[in-house]
Amino acid sequence: MTDDNTSGVNRRNLLKLTAVAGVVAGSGLLSARTATAEDGLSLKGKRIGISATGTDHFFDLQAYNAQIEEVKRLGGEPIAVDAGRNDGKLVSQLQTLIAQKPDAIVQLLGTLSVIDPWLKRAREADIPVFTIDVGSVNSINNSTSDNWGIGKDLALQLVSDIGGEGNIVVFNGFYGVTPCAIRYDQLVNVTKYFPKVQIVQPELRDVIPNTVQDAFTQITAILAKYPEKGSIKAIWSAWDIPQLGATQALTAAGRTEIRTYGVDGSPEVLQLVADPNSPAAADVAQQPAELGRVAIQNVARHLAGETLPRETYVPALLANKQTVGEVSKKLGIG
């Protein structure tokens, strides 16, 4: 793309926007931690249910363990259960938690259509419901990253990197998960102003489990369909485990001119972003342990009679080839 205004935003301004996004996100990290360090909070004598959709992903495990540790630190008793990515088990564990009548329940992730009826049951049983990355009307407070900002920043980085034109491959298998839907919608919102950027149809569906292997297989098939260099410019996913499989497929096929983009900040993906020879171009790193701690602190605040906002945002950090070292250092990775 030339440095003119025919696409609405020129390349120079896009680069400025993505650079500013990374700086702003990074500058909010310490202030967020300071603001949530409330030594006066207590959960003494309280039983807190912690329900996780699964813990096989770095984000999930970090947020899950942080919740358990924070409940204990505040003097409470955690009742922690993990559904292992099985929706039937997830429903069953929510039913069990409701029957145990804890002082609050925190739900970590989940497809809204699956979990929301049971979050409503918990609320109707006078059990306060809190969530992490779940946009439910039955939740008193949802601790989350600013997924609108994440989606916009990642999309701007992608469009800037490919010069505002070219075909992009998109994984869109979990639109029922609120953060994934928001990030995808923001990608669409940004790219509609760049008519030379086209999303390849049909979109790919990422899966759980075997996410890395499945992404590798799907991208290998796409490369066979688009063998010419330049026919595909980038690969986008709403989280970074499909990005890992896609990056591996590109490397194996010698198609490292194609760039990959994702979200979460898994250590293995950040290592690929840090490799100058890797096609992994950018990954927005969330702070899952901080999200877990903030959720539990919000439970304590609510039980102490404090009125909470509908959502509490924990800053995310845009890691690209230039900023990944700084981001990894701030996250204590590497």
Side-chain angles (χ1 to χ4, degrees):
M1 186 174 83
T2 58
D3 210 23
D4 58 33
N5 292 311
T6 56
S7 297
V9 181
N10 64 35
R11 182 173 174 82
R12 183 179 297 130
N13 288 337
L14 268 174
L15 290 170
K16 288 178 181 178
L17 283 169
T18 52
V20 168
V23 170
V24 170
S27 66
L29 179 67
L30 294 177
S31 61
R33 287 180 176 170
T34 302
T36 58
E38 299 279 350
D39 291 336
L41 294 175
S42 175
L43 288 172
K44 186 176 181 180
K46 305 296 185 182
R47 296 161 59 246
I48 309 302
I50 298 169
S51 169
T53 302
T55 56
D56 54 329
H57 183 212
F58 173 80
F59 176 96
D60 311 336
L61 184 60
Q62 290 283 306
Y64 181 73
N65 287 338
Q67 288 180 83
I68 295 170
E69 293 166 4
E70 190 67 3
V71 170
K72 292 178 179 178
R73 188 183 77 83
L74 296 179
E77 176 189 349
I79 309 171
V81 285
D82 173 11
R85 301 290 177 189
N86 183 302
D87 283 346
K89 185 176 179 181
L90 177 56
V91 168
S92 178
Q93 74 185 24
L94 282 170
Q95 291 173 324
T96 300
L97 283 176
I98 292 168
Q100 291 179 296
K101 292 281 187 180
D103 294 283
I105 291 175
V106 184
Q107 175 62 45
L108 170 61
L109 292 172
T111 301
L112 195 59
S113 60
V114 173
I115 60 175
D116 214 30
W118 302 100
L119 300 183
K120 182 180 179 182
R121 294 275 186 95
R123 188 193 67 181
E124 292 171 345
D126 294 323
I127 301 170
V129 172
F130 294 78
T131 51
I132 299 174
D133 266 358
V134 177
S136 169
V137 297
N138 295 298
S139 172
I140 291 170
N141 172 272
N142 182 44
S143 296
T144 185
S145 302
D146 177 2
N147 287 293
W148 291 271
I150 285 174
K152 178 260 298 179
D153 291 345
L154 189 65
L156 284 172
Q157 180 76 62
L158 184 157
V159 171
S160 174
D161 288 348
I162 68 173
E165 61 180 271
N167 292 326
I168 61 174
V169 173
V170 169
F171 283 94
N172 186 22
F174 295 99
Y175 196 79
V177 177
T178 305
C180 295
I182 293 170
R183 296 166 195 167
Y184 173 84
D185 287 346
Q186 289 294 76
L187 172 71
V188 173
N189 287 338
V190 169
T191 56
K192 73 181 181 181
Y193 292 101
F194 297 87
K196 292 183 180 180
V197 175
Q198 297 294 321
I199 296 176
V200 172
Q201 299 296 329
E203 296 172 341
L204 304 184
R205 294 186 59 84
D206 38 337
V207 301
I208 295 174
N210 301 319
T211 308
V212 174
Q213 299 92 321
D214 181 79
F216 184 101
T217 299
Q218 291 198 66
I219 293 303
T220 299
I222 284 287
L223 296 178
K225 188 175 180 180
Y226 294 87
E228 300 86 7
K229 289 194 174 183
S231 55
I232 298 291
K233 290 289 192 70
I235 300 168
W236 179 98
S237 56
W239 53 307
D240 63 10
I241 301 306
Q243 182 186 11
L244 180 59
T247 302
Q248 291 175 354
L250 295 176
T251 301
R255 295 290 297 278
T256 55
E257 82 281 1
I258 301 171
R259 299 176 172 96
T260 67
Y261 300 80
V263 179
D264 274 338
S266 301
E268 59 267 45
V269 176
L270 290 180
Q271 289 172 6
L272 289 172
V273 174
D275 181 353
N277 298 316
S278 170
D283 190 42
V284 182
Q286 300 190 85
Q287 299 186 72
E290 187 69 5
L291 282 165
R293 286 188 289 268
V294 165
I296 297 304
Q297 290 163 6
N298 282 340
V299 170
R301 290 190 180 97
H302 172 78
L303 295 178
E306 184 175 332
T307 300
L308 297 171
R310 178 66 187 82
E311 292 200 323
T312 300
Y313 295 106
V314 172
L317 309 167
L318 176 62
N320 55 33
K321 295 292 188 185
Q322 291 72 43
T323 64
V324 64
E326 180 184 356
V327 169
S328 296
K329 182 178 179 180
K330 286 180 178 177
L331 293 175
I333 296 173

